[in-house]
Amino acid sequence: MRRTDPEGHGPVRYGPPLPDHGLPVLPELRSALTAAADRAETAPSGGGPVLLDAACGYWDRRGLPVAPDRVAAAPGAPALLLALTGALGGDVLVPRPCAAWWAPQARLLGRSVFHVATPAECGGVPDPYALLETVRRVRTEGGEPRLLVLSVADDPTATVAPPEVVHETVEAAVSEGLHVVSDETWRDTLHQPHDTVLLSPAEMLPAEVTVITDLAGAFLPQGWPAAVARFPDNDAGARLRARVLDVLTVLGARIAEPVAAAAGYALGEPGPVTERVTAAARLHARVAAAAHHAVVGAGAVARPPQAGRHLYVDLGPLRDPLGAHGVGDAQDLEDFLTARLGMPAPGGHRFGDDLGALRVRLDTGPLLGRTDEERAACVMSPTPWELPHVQRALTLLGSAFDDLRDDAQRRESPR
């Protein structure tokens, strides 16, 4: 990412994409896409029947049964969220921090976006009391809050919200008349799937929650954009889906037929796909744990990552040594670490955090190697952190943070 105009300190066009899995394309996915490469027809807005049926099966296996007439598909979750925001109207509430693309969707439509603090134990879900207070304040000031966007398995914090927090927050939102959009892009990337309880808000209050899932989270390469949405099974859900399809039609937001074929194959979860999803989650969990150990050992603060391919680091304790390198805010930190580590390190301001806070998201995909051969070796190895190229990447990461820790220690006055 390039240094941006100081006045804007990070326009949307320089914002970070979803953390990439950094692995070669699964051969079976490539075959599914290639087999559909000759299809010249245009897919209908909202997705064709094969893809919608596959999405229904995906959610049914997760305890969220749904009929095809309550599902829609689009070329990526941003298109779905844009359509939902346009269809619902009103102001939007999001946690702080949140996925980098959520707030720009609403602002593009002229909607006001209000960030709400998260509880100490997790990100992705607003603190219920802070949410109620924000809603009250927005209404007092003449606003019209209608939509809450949250993520139980979160980008950027890589945490999974405890079920009790999800319950309290969703109940608070619904009591205030908010519709909830649950971004569950990362639900299939849990690091400890047998020990982590993930509760979808749609399991709690299905009549009030729309679920969106970007398949770039666990199933498809980022360059094959596809996402699906699950609407409430009631009249309000049917009307909302119809309005969303209208917006998608106006935007021309249709999934290319070859990508739709690959998406349908992936959502069917055949053996090769489930094996790759499981292996990738296990791999990134191990690398993320090693990266977390490195940054915490150097004096930074980060919650242990529980999902995804990233971790969110607070370098506030290292502000003094960073200041010696000209780092005074999150944009400076982004520039400094991107150059120092040789990989993107988007600052917390990209995710709605305060510009003055020295926070950054570190992705694990770039640590897996630069060639398909190196990345494939990571999937096959029982100890990927011991592979030479991964060791080098982790050593570089650790040394960059260790240098800051050593600088901090040298600056301490002797007692």
Side-chain angles (χ1 to χ4, degrees):
M1 285 175 287
R2 294 162 43 194
R3 175 67 184 186
T4 55
D5 187 324
E7 294 296 324
H9 243 79
V12 172
R13 62 184 177 275
Y14 298 122
L18 292 177
D20 187 49
H21 57 60
L23 299 175
V25 176
L26 189 67
E28 289 80 3
L29 281 179
R30 187 185 302 115
S31 297
L33 183 136
T34 302
D38 291 333
R39 296 183 187 174
E41 65 272 17
T42 300
S45 293
V50 174
L51 177 55
L52 299 185
D53 284 342
C56 291
Y58 165 83
W59 274 308
D60 186 62
R61 290 187 293 275
R62 285 152 182 80
L64 295 170
V66 64
D69 64 355
R70 294 296 187 273
V71 177
L80 285 173
L81 184 57
L82 181 70
L84 280 161
T85 306
L88 288 164
D91 300 325
V92 181
L93 288 86
V94 297
R96 183 191 300 277
C98 68
W101 53 276
W102 288 1
Q105 297 287 314
R107 292 184 179 125
L108 183 64
L109 296 172
R111 305 284 193 266
S112 295
V113 180
F114 298 92
H115 289 268
V116 186
T118 56
E121 60 265 42
C122 67
V125 176
D127 177 87
Y129 300 104
L131 175 66
L132 291 173
E133 174 58 25
T134 302
V135 170
R136 184 200 63 77
R137 176 175 56 81
V138 171
R139 286 181 175 149
T140 299
E141 296 173 356
E144 189 179 7
R146 288 189 184 176
L147 173 61
L148 168 65
V149 187
L150 54 77
S151 56
V152 178
D154 186 43
D155 170 22
T157 65
T159 58
V160 176
E164 59 272 18
V165 173
V166 179
H167 266 290
E168 293 175 2
T169 298
V170 174
E171 287 178 348
V174 172
S175 72
E176 292 295 331
L178 303 180
H179 188 79
V180 177
V181 170
S182 177
D183 179 2
E184 300 184 6
T185 294
W186 301 103
R187 71 167 295 153
D188 297 296
T189 66
L190 299 184
H191 294 179
Q192 300 292 336
H194 300 296
D195 300 324
T196 305
V197 179
L198 186 149
L199 176 69
S200 169
E203 296 178 64
M204 290 177 46
L205 296 170
E208 310 291 345
V209 178
T210 297
V211 177
I212 60 175
T213 298
D214 197 308
L215 301 191
F219 295 100
L220 293 182
Q222 284 191 8
W224 301 3
V228 288
R230 178 191 184 277
F231 295 87
D233 186 17
N234 52 29
D235 290 343
R239 290 192 297 270
L240 178 58
R241 178 180 184 268
R243 293 198 298 272
V244 165
L245 293 182
D246 287 341
V247 177
L248 294 176
T249 301
V250 171
L251 295 175
R254 298 178 175 88
I255 302 177
E257 279 292 310
V259 175
Y265 174 79
L267 285 172
E269 298 183 283
V273 170
T274 56
E275 290 170 9
R276 167 57 74 85
V277 169
T278 300
R282 183 172 58 245
L283 167 62
H284 284 282
R286 292 168 173 171
V287 177
H292 179 263
H293 177 77
V295 300
V296 172
V301 177
R303 296 187 184 101
Q306 297 174 286
R309 303 184 283 263
H310 52 285
L311 63 157
Y312 198 59
V313 184
D314 185 347
L315 282 85
L318 300 173
R319 182 176 290 276
D320 286 346
L322 284 167
H325 293 280
V327 174
D329 60 27
Q331 181 65 59
D332 296 331
L333 180 63
E334 176 182 298
D335 295 340
F336 173 74
L337 286 180
T338 296
R340 190 79 170 263
L341 301 176
M343 63 184 231
H349 62 302
R350 308 281 185 183
F351 310 101
D353 239 335
D354 293 333
L355 179 63
L358 297 182
R359 300 189 183 111
V360 66
R361 188 188 73 187
L362 298 177
D363 301 350
T364 51
L367 303 175
L368 303 183
R370 298 183 180 276
T371 67
D372 282 351
E373 291 74 16
E374 289 180 339
R375 296 164 184 153
C378 290
V379 179
M380 303 299 295
S381 174
T383 54
W385 57 87
E386 294 181 357
L387 294 171
H389 63 278
V390 178
Q391 277 192 335
R392 287 194 297 270
L394 288 171
T395 298
L396 176 62
L397 177 71
S399 64
F401 283 89
D402 286 344
D403 288 348
L404 293 172
R405 178 199 59 200
D406 294 343
D407 287 348
Q409 291 174 347
R410 283 193 292 269
R411 288 172 178 277
E412 289 181 355
S413 302
R415 299 291 181 185

